[in-house]
């Protein structure tokens, strides 16, 4: 079904019930660095929590996590609609009424994980899946982390550069939740316009644009939606909107 940085995802079928599932296989032998092993173990333990006590209607439903010496197998619900990236690519952009419903679903999931002290750190459309009834679920907790205290400061650079926040690209120690909110701002911008807010011909230029939050919103985007994007793509992480505030924003 897909392939990312750390795993391959296969479509599988239960022999007796014929139920289709998706299985993500993470090969731990491919990891050399200790932080990669830590990320794999963190993904395993978060998925174990999602499989048992932390179900949410907008987080991918994990049935079971199986681990042996060299691999982790995450058995989850098969999401027929594929991922949001593919959807945006096919339709060029997402019209506001649909984008509004989808963004609300993403925010509900993000609010849920943040309120449980979990940060995702790799939010992007490839990690948002669509089910057969056109509802969304977050997946891929490969960079996810349980933070001991709300205020815990993190240092690891994570995720895709296009979705990385100013504090991430300037290697400033950061608090987790605002980093996820920035990435959601990039997702919202991409949904509504079909283009990324920060683009450049090289990484240095890209990071400079991100670090000063230099972007413009096309006039085709409604004023309320533009306002929400500005509140999300806010350079100062302390002033950036939170998930719960987002759910109360007029555009939603
Ligand atoms: P990685 O950590 O390697 O990025 P992901 O968990 O993001 O792995 O999975 C890679 C891709 O596989 C996703 O972007 C998506 O396209 C596809 N995929 C993942 N899980 C499912 C699922 N449950 N149903 C359908 N497709 C999936
Ligand atoms: Mg992924």
């Amino acid at each position: 079904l897909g392939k990312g940085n750390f795993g391959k995802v296969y479509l599988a079928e239960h022999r007796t019930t014929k139920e289709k599932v998706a299985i993500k296989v993470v090969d731990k032998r491919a990891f050399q660095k200790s932080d990669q092993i830590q990320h794999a173990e963190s993904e395993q333990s978060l998925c174990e929590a999602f499989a048992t006590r932390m179900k949410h209607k907008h987080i991918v439903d994990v049935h079971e996590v199986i681990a042996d010496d060299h691999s982790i197998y995450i058995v989850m619900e098969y999401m027929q609609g594929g991922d949001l990236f593919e959807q945006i690519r096919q339709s060029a952009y997402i019209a506001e009424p649909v984008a509004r419903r989808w963004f609300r679903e993403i925010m509900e999931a993000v609010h849920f994980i943040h309120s449980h002290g979990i940060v995702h750190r790799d939010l992007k459309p490839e990690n948002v899946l669509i089910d057969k009834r056109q509802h969304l679920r977050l997946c891929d907790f490969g960079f996810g982390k349980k933070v001991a205290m709300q205020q815990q400061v993190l240092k690891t650079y994570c995720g895709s550069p296009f979705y990385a926040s100013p504090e991430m690209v300037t290697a400033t120690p950061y608090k987790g939740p605002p980093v996820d909110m920035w990435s959601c701002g990039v997702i919202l911008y991409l949904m509504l316009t079909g283009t990324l807010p920060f683009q450049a011909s090289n990484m240095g230029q890209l990071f400079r644009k991100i670090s000063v939050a230099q972007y413009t919103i096309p006039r085709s985007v409604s004023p309320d939606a533009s306002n929400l994007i500005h509140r999300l793509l806010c350079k100062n992480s302390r002033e950036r909107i939170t998930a719960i505030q987002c759910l109360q924003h007029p555009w939603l």
Side-chain angles (χ1 to χ4, degrees):
L1 294 172
K3 185 177 176 299
N5 293 325
F6 300 106
K8 277 191 187 148
V9 181
Y10 298 89
L11 177 62
E13 190 184 69
H14 190 285
R15 280 194 192 148
T16 25
T17 66
K18 304 279 184 231
E19 186 197 353
K20 287 192 166 60
V21 293
I23 305 183
K24 177 171 179 174
V25 184
V26 181
D27 184 354
K28 288 187 282 190
R29 286 171 303 184
F31 298 154
Q32 248 95 67
K33 293 196 230 123
S34 67
D35 59 331
Q36 288 180 323
I37 296 166
Q38 260 173 33
H39 287 147
E41 281 165 359
S42 172
E43 179 170 23
Q44 179 181 344
S45 74
L46 288 172
C47 284
E48 280 162 356
F50 293 136
T52 51
R53 52 190 196 280
M54 280 195 53
K55 300 251 174 215
H56 188 271
K57 63 180 182 201
H58 298 304
I59 293 175
V60 73
D61 201 4
V62 179
H63 296 324
E64 195 178 1
V65 181
I66 305 163
D68 58 26
D69 287 344
H70 36 82
S71 299
I72 303 167
Y73 303 85
I74 301 164
V75 184
M76 53 190 153
E77 160 198 25
Y78 165 48
M79 299 286 283
Q80 279 183 13
D83 64 55
L84 181 61
F85 183 80
E86 196 47 38
Q87 182 68 48
I88 298 171
R89 207 183 57 80
Q90 278 171 23
S91 52
Y93 68 96
I94 312 285
E96 278 199 26
V98 178
R100 174 180 291 119
R101 186 168 64 74
W102 278 354
F103 196 69
R104 170 169 274 283
E105 296 185 349
I106 295 171
M107 273 309 111
E108 284 176 15
V110 171
H111 172 55
F112 176 78
I113 60 169
H114 287 177
S115 65
H116 283 83
I118 294 168
V119 287
H120 188 284
R121 299 194 295 182
D122 194 18
L123 289 172
K124 56 182 176 182
E126 293 89 326
N127 291 335
V128 178
L129 304 175
I130 306 171
D131 73 11
K132 59 173 184 286
R133 290 167 58 225
Q134 298 286 298
H135 289 290
L136 303 189
R137 287 182 185 262
L138 296 191
C139 77
D140 191 359
F141 285 78
F143 281 125
K145 189 174 170 72
K146 179 116 179 100
V147 283
M149 299 161 288
Q150 282 294 354
Q151 299 308 312
Q152 187 177 343
V153 174
L154 306 170
K155 294 195 178 109
T156 321
Y157 177 89
C158 293
S160 154
F162 296 107
Y163 299 84
S165 62
E167 60 273 25
M168 190 78 96
V169 301
T170 53
T172 314
Y174 60 89
K175 296 213 180 95
V179 160
D180 281 346
M181 297 313 293
W182 176 279
S183 306
C184 288
V186 179
I187 296 176
L188 180 58
Y189 187 107
L190 182 67
M191 281 204 280
L192 295 176
T193 67
T195 58
L196 286 162
F198 306 101
Q199 295 186 68
S201 49
N202 62 59
M203 281 294 167
Q205 242 180 49
L206 178 70
F207 281 12
R208 198 192 51 77
K209 283 186 179 174
I210 295 172
S211 67
V212 293
Q214 182 196 324
Y215 65 96
T216 51
I217 303 177
R219 261 184 298 216
S220 57
V221 177
S222 73
D224 275 345
S226 299
N227 178 274
L228 180 54
I229 291 172
H230 285 309
R231 298 284 291 111
L232 288 157
L233 298 182
C234 166
K235 187 180 145 197
N236 184 340
S237 63
R238 281 186 299 266
E239 285 166 16
R240 202 172 297 149
I241 196 168
T242 64
I244 188 78
Q245 289 169 342
C246 227
L247 289 165
Q248 290 152 3
H249 188 277
W251 187 69
L252 285 180

